[in-house]
Amino acid sequence: MLTTSPITRQTVGKTFTIAISVLGVGAVFQVGIIGWAFATRPPNPVANFTATALPPVARLTTEPVAPPAPDLTANPFAEPPQTLTTNAGLPPKPTPAPQKSTPAEPTNRFEEVLLQGRQLRERGDMNTAIIKFREAGTMDPRNPIPVAELAATYEKMGSADRAGEHWRKIYDLGDAAGVYYSLAEAKLKAIQALTMRTAVAPVDAPAPVDTSAPVEGIAPGATLGLLPVRVDEEKDDASAKRFTLHIPVKARPQTKMEVRDLVLHVLFYDIVDGQNVVQTSANVNSRWMTPPADWTESDTEELAVEYQLDKPEAKAAKRENRKYFGYIVRVYYKQQLQAATAEPERLSQQYPPPPTLPKDPDK
């Protein structure tokens, strides 16, 4: 027996049918676009990729590996290949300032004294630099380096004649001087050429200066003189005595000084055991207060000489009772004595100054 369903069947409306049709047309259009895109796209590079076998991974081992054999045919002084790189269109890069190479540390007393002499010369202390180079020369008389340093120092002082004497000493050593022989030969040729040009070129002789006129601090007939010497004591607990001697050297007005012809001797003396007066064993350094000393801006230039006496060693087997005693100052110009002073006065009597420049300044 048939029964009636409780659910009422509804009829689909016209509006619903139109909406379904529009959605279907849109879906078909989208599927067409996707198919066209797949049909016209470029070939996939992944599809053409051919897999290649990777190299085997290197196995880490702790066994020592022998270094490659050195190439004995290679030039050790050859520079590595260079690559030229341009930066057209780019702003220039800043170039770092080159750094000065640090000089090697001295390995012995000879190299240490040479280094001290070079440093003193750079500071303008030519007299002490010359002393250091002479000290190095006594350590190794056959070594041309101290002689070359002396020649370079005299060149910087403007004394071509003294420099030429030392270049001649190196030249006379011959091949034993090594590279300094060639340097000395070149220097001597340059000095000879300069001498020839100077001899040919006319020179206007300066008007002679009246040396008989009285000038404060300068003796009649002399070109240079000494003003009062001053001693500045310095406190130094590590030294037995330390002070600086200030020596004013005065030139006659309107005098054109030839500095290369000026020689100053400053000698210090100590007294040992309260009896014997001997030359000092203290450290002595000198410098011009306003380098270069040329007497162009002023008629007086001041030389400062530092004296520093070490304390005696407490552990020494025999302690020397050494104390500062005094000093002597002598001024020579063009080989002639200009002025001299001493403190105490007995030193000038015991060691009278020679009237002409001696070869040994210690006498």
Side-chain angles (χ1 to χ4, degrees):
M1 183 175 61
L2 297 173
T3 60
T4 303
S5 174
I7 303 174
T8 305
R9 299 183 59 185
Q10 299 182 357
T11 305
V12 177
K14 185 176 181 180
T15 301
F16 177 79
T17 303
I18 293 173
I20 292 298
S21 301
V22 171
L23 293 174
V25 172
V28 172
F29 181 72
Q30 292 178 356
V31 171
I33 291 176
I34 294 172
W36 178 81
F38 273 96
T40 59
R41 70 175 182 174
N44 188 0
V46 178
N48 297 329
F49 175 75
T50 304
T52 58
L54 297 175
V57 178
R59 183 176 60 184
L60 180 64
T61 177
T62 58
E63 296 179 0
V65 180
D71 185 5
L72 300 179
T73 62
N75 184 3
F77 301 101
E79 297 183 356
Q82 300 180 358
T83 303
L84 179 62
T85 304
T86 60
N87 56 348
L90 298 178
K93 296 182 179 180
T95 303
Q99 298 181 354
K100 295 183 178 180
S101 59
T102 304
E105 292 293 332
T107 58
N108 51 49
R109 177 61 181 169
F110 175 78
E111 295 181 358
E112 181 181 354
V113 173
L114 283 177
L115 179 60
Q116 292 174 356
R118 296 185 185 110
Q119 293 173 344
L120 289 166
R121 183 175 60 199
E122 291 176 1
R123 295 203 301 263
D125 189 356
M126 301 302 181
N127 292 331
T128 312
I130 289 174
I131 294 174
K132 291 296 183 181
F133 292 139
R134 287 176 177 172
E135 180 182 350
T138 59
M139 297 179 183
D140 191 355
R142 298 293 296 175
N143 196 316
I145 297 179
V147 186
E149 295 292 353
L150 280 169
T153 305
Y154 283 119
E155 285 180 350
K156 196 169 183 180
M157 294 172 64
S159 180
D161 295 339
R162 302 290 293 276
E165 293 175 4
H166 289 80
W167 289 125
R168 172 62 63 179
K169 292 179 181 179
I170 297 178
Y171 182 81
D172 292 341
L173 292 175
D175 295 337
V179 295
Y180 290 94
Y181 173 79
S182 301
L183 178 61
E185 184 179 19
K187 290 286 186 179
L188 290 174
K189 289 181 178 179
I191 293 174
Q192 183 179 9
L194 179 61
T195 304
M196 294 179 63
R197 288 197 302 266
T198 305
V200 173
V203 178
D204 296 332
V209 178
D210 183 10
T211 59
S212 62
V215 177
E216 180 187 3
I218 302 178
T223 304
L224 296 170
L226 286 172
L227 297 181
V229 177
R230 187 178 80 257
V231 178
D232 287 346
E233 298 284 349
E234 300 180 23
K235 186 178 180 181
D236 186 2
D237 296 336
S239 303
K241 189 174 184 63
R242 185 169 188 169
F243 64 88
T244 300
L245 200 66
H246 294 271
I247 307 171
V249 182
K250 184 176 181 179
R252 283 188 177 272
Q254 301 179 352
T255 300
K256 185 178 180 181
M257 287 291 300
E258 299 181 19
V259 182
R260 64 178 180 273
D261 293 329
L262 172 65
V263 177
L264 271 76
H265 290 169
V266 182
L267 309 174
F268 291 97
Y269 294 87
D270 299 335
I271 186 168
V272 179
D273 297 330
Q275 297 178 354
N276 299 326
V277 176
V278 297
Q279 288 197 5
T280 187
S281 61
N283 299 316
V284 178
N285 294 293
S286 63
R287 70 184 187 280
W288 289 104
M289 297 299 293
T290 56
D294 52 14
W295 287 266
T296 56
E297 298 181 359
S298 174
D299 62 356
T300 303
E301 298 283 359
E302 184 174 297
L303 180 68
V305 185
E306 183 181 357
Y307 172 98
Q308 187 262 325
L309 180 63
D310 293 332
K311 288 184 177 180
E313 297 182 3
K315 297 181 179 180
K318 182 180 179 181
R319 297 185 62 180
E320 185 180 51
N321 184 16
R322 177 184 288 265
K323 294 182 180 180
Y324 167 74
F325 183 76
Y327 64 84
I328 291 177
V329 178
R330 300 168 184 165
V331 182
Y332 288 91
Y333 185 64
K334 295 184 180 299
Q335 306 288 323
Q336 301 300 316
L337 179 67
Q338 303 293 304
T341 185
E343 178 61 35
E345 182 64 24
R346 58 171 284 194
L347 282 175
S348 61
Q349 299 174 1
Q350 185 175 356
Y351 304 102
T356 58
L357 180 66
K359 294 184 178 180
D360 187 358
D362 297 336
K363 295 182 181 180

